[in-house]
Amino acid sequence: MPTLPNPLITSSPERLGGTPVFAGTRVPVQTLIEYLEAGHPLDQFLDDYPDVSRDHAVGVLELAKRALVPPAA
């Protein structure tokens, strides 16, 4: 099983003008969000962007969830 990059997301002014991307790729995280918003399954995103692994995509979604959803009391 491949290890995930740490951090999962990176940004740099030299890469896509500072747009947050999946670490180690040039794939913007926003692209995944837009796929899901449009009703496309995660598998379609992964097929279209093979540089992003399923574990990496799920890790980014979990990171977003932790940032947005308060822990259960």
Side-chain angles (χ1 to χ4, degrees):
M1 173 181 222
T3 59
L4 292 176
N6 185 10
L8 294 171
I9 300 169
T10 59
S11 63
S12 170
E14 294 82 34
R15 183 181 297 133
L16 298 177
T19 299
V21 297
F22 288 87
T25 77
R26 294 181 55 85
V27 180
V29 171
Q30 181 177 348
T31 303
L32 172 58
I33 303 303
E34 290 170 351
Y35 264 66
L36 298 175
E37 283 179 334
H40 301 295
L42 177 59
D43 286 335
Q44 182 176 349
F45 172 81
L46 297 171
D47 286 344
D48 291 345
Y49 295 93
D51 289 341
V52 179
S53 72
R54 175 175 295 279
D55 288 341
H56 198 164
V58 170
V60 166
L61 292 171
E62 289 174 354
L63 184 66
K65 179 181 173 183
R66 285 193 304 268
L68 298 171
V69 178

